[in-house]
């Protein structure tokens, strides 16, 4: 089962694991990445992270990323939840779950999904610092490299 | 020049492009000569000082046409929704 | 914070995420692997999975594996819980969580921890099939290869 | 031969080694000539038909001495806890 949600409210990590595990048979393992708002960026304390997105495009873009993961690995299910809006340090941002019969598929698909979400889902982050300043997060070259590596390895 | 002979587009701006242009969404009619996404970005610069600032460095602008990622060479068609934004930073 | 538990009873995945996230600062993401009892092995339906271990050695062995992960990656915390005893299909077997400032460390450490748990923690699994037969699970060559790959890459 | 001159060891068996030997734990006293884990495995074969079956193929046997993985060449000392088991399959 594929579950994709783009939402302002928080999600319940345990409930998402249980929901995915309960919806599929043949699961041997679930890989997961949970992204959390950091409390500082380059040692500058953060008071909030603002996530903007492109509503008409976001879910279709994530569906395409999930479909690509399903094409590459033998997944029995996956869950992708991405929040938007204003989040405080420590709050959940994004949850990726990939369930498979074997752990390698589950873990590789998890890494792939978060790498591609970072570079192919239309979200933008703005950091608000405790000193009142704010700045848009710039795309990291490492993220492009991480995402591109899956093209080189693509089957 | 008769405006109606141009190409009508909806342009969306995100993140700091939205802040600098001062708008999230604009309806524009561009001349026939503005045939690609790259042409549109060059054309938008003249709309305001804010637009000029937003599009000062076109190399850092990304775009999507009708909710699919596109590039500067992608052709525009009447009615297209063209979204312009900096590189994405979700996840 | 490092949490290691070897136990017969089930664990609460959501509570473990919350506990780890709440115990550390500087978290940007948590990587996770949750191992679950499969309902079949080589399409032979399973009624139960029996996990035997070597109590005096198990926790020290897992501590050594966790220490090695902490040496290789900049982790702000990790949680490893491994169950033993008789488990039904669908039940949780093992939980690995690795928290780090950046996702790559979190995900790589997660993969490392489960690869090494599979080959360096003293657990043995016996499958009980629905037809009444039973057999000890044999070590998989892929698991040795997966675990050894971290030696080649070792820093 | 005087038993007390040998090396006293605690031997633990796990998984199918436990089932085939019919015991989870044994106290043994081995002759001085049994100096390594590999020697111990060869020596244990003669204890019973179950032990002979358990240790028929020493290549698939793994061991830990005092709760640390060891190999066939590892030397034994009086009082060691020697665990013998098939390759681990946890996780």
């Amino acid at each position: 089962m594929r579950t994709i949600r783009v939402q302002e409210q928080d999600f319940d990590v345990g409930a998402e694991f249980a929901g995915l595990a309960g919806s599929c048979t043949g699961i041997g393992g679930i890989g997961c990445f949970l992204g959390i708002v950091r409390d500082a960026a380059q040692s500058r304390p953060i008071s909030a992270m603002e996530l903007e997105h492109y509503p008409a495009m976001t879910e279709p873009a994530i569906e395409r990323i999930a479909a690509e993961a399903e094409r590459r690995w033998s997944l029995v299910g996956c869950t992708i939840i991405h929040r938007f809006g204003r989040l405080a340090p420590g709050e959940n941002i994004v949850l990726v779950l990939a369930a498979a019969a074997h752990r390698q598929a589950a873990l590789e698909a998890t890494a792939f999904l978060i790498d591609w979400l970072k570079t192919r889902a239309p979200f933008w982050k703005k950091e608000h610092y405790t000193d009142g300043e704010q700045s848009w997060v710039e795309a990291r070259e490492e993220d492009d490299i991480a995402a591109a590596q899956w093209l080189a390895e693509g089957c | 020049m008769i405006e109606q002979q141009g190409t009508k587009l909806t342009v969306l701006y995100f993140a700091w492009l939205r802040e600098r242009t001062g708008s999230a969404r604009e309806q524009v009619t561009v001349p026939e000569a503005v045939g690609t996404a790259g042409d549109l970005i060059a054309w938008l610069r003249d709309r305001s000082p804010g637009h000029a600032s937003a599009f000062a460095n076109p190399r850092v602008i990304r775009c999507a046409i009708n909710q699919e990622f596109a590039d500067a060479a992608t052709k525009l068609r009447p009615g297209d929704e063209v979204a312009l934004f900096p590189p994405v930073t979700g996840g």
Side-chain angles (χ1 to χ4, degrees), chain A, chain B:
Chain A
M1 196 182 70
R2 190 201 292 174
T3 302
I4 289 171
R5 297 206 309 273
V6 178
Q7 61 189 41
E8 195 152 8
Q9 71 271 26
D10 196 11
F11 46 81
D12 177 332
V13 175
E16 297 302 332
F17 269 86
L20 177 59
S23 74
C24 328
T25 55
I27 294 186
I30 298 179
C32 167
F33 180 77
L34 173 67
I36 293 173
V37 179
R38 262 191 288 273
D39 48 14
Q42 281 102 43
S43 32
R44 203 168 168 191
I46 287 175
S47 58
M49 175 78 87
E50 196 184 324
L51 274 132
E52 178 172 339
H53 75 123
Y54 179 4
M57 181 174 172
T58 314
E59 285 198 28
I62 298 176
E63 293 279 356
R64 283 193 290 266
I65 295 167
E68 180 63 23
E70 289 163 356
R71 194 182 70 74
R72 290 172 179 234
W73 290 278
S74 197
L75 301 182
V76 295
C78 69
T79 298
I80 300 170
I81 305 175
H82 205 305
R83 294 179 69 189
F84 60 89
R86 193 179 174 99
L87 308 178
E91 282 198 76
N92 298 326
I93 305 176
V94 61
L95 180 71
V96 169
L97 303 181
H102 296 286
R103 79 181 184 289
Q104 201 175 358
L107 287 171
E108 285 186 7
T110 299
F112 169 86
L113 286 166
I114 187 67
D115 281 350
W116 277 34
L117 277 174
K118 290 248 172 203
T119 53
R120 299 187 178 216
F123 286 94
W124 300 274
K125 279 180 187 155
K126 186 187 229 181
E127 289 168 348
H128 295 256
Y129 307 105
T130 51
D131 61 13
E133 289 191 41
Q134 44 184 251
S135 78
W136 290 97
V137 174
E138 283 190 49
R140 297 161 70 227
E141 198 190 357
E142 304 99 280
D143 287 338
D144 288 332
I145 293 167
Q149 144 216 315
W150 297 108
L151 293 176
E153 290 177 7
C155 13
Chain B
M1 195 168 79
I2 301 160
E3 271 271 288
Q4 290 88 315
Q5 290 182 329
T7 308
K8 290 194 178 189
L9 304 168
T10 301
V11 185
L12 307 183
Y13 304 105
F14 293 95
W16 52 259
L17 285 171
R18 174 178 52 71
E19 292 177 338
R20 291 194 198 170
T21 61
S23 93
R25 181 191 187 95
E26 293 185 307
Q27 302 289 342
V28 301
T29 302
V30 299
E32 302 282 357
V34 174
T36 66
D39 296 340
L40 174 66
I41 289 169
W43 182 85
L44 285 167
R45 274 192 225 167
D46 295 332
R47 283 177 76 84
S48 80
H51 286 72
S53 151
F55 296 109
N57 180 6
R59 295 190 57 218
V60 300
I61 312 296
R62 300 290 179 270
C63 79
I65 298 179
N66 302 325
Q67 300 92 49
E68 297 223 26
F69 287 111
D71 60 34
T74 307
K75 295 261 188 311
L76 300 174
R77 295 177 197 197
D80 277 353
E81 176 175 290
V82 183
L84 300 170
F85 42 79
V88 303
T89 55

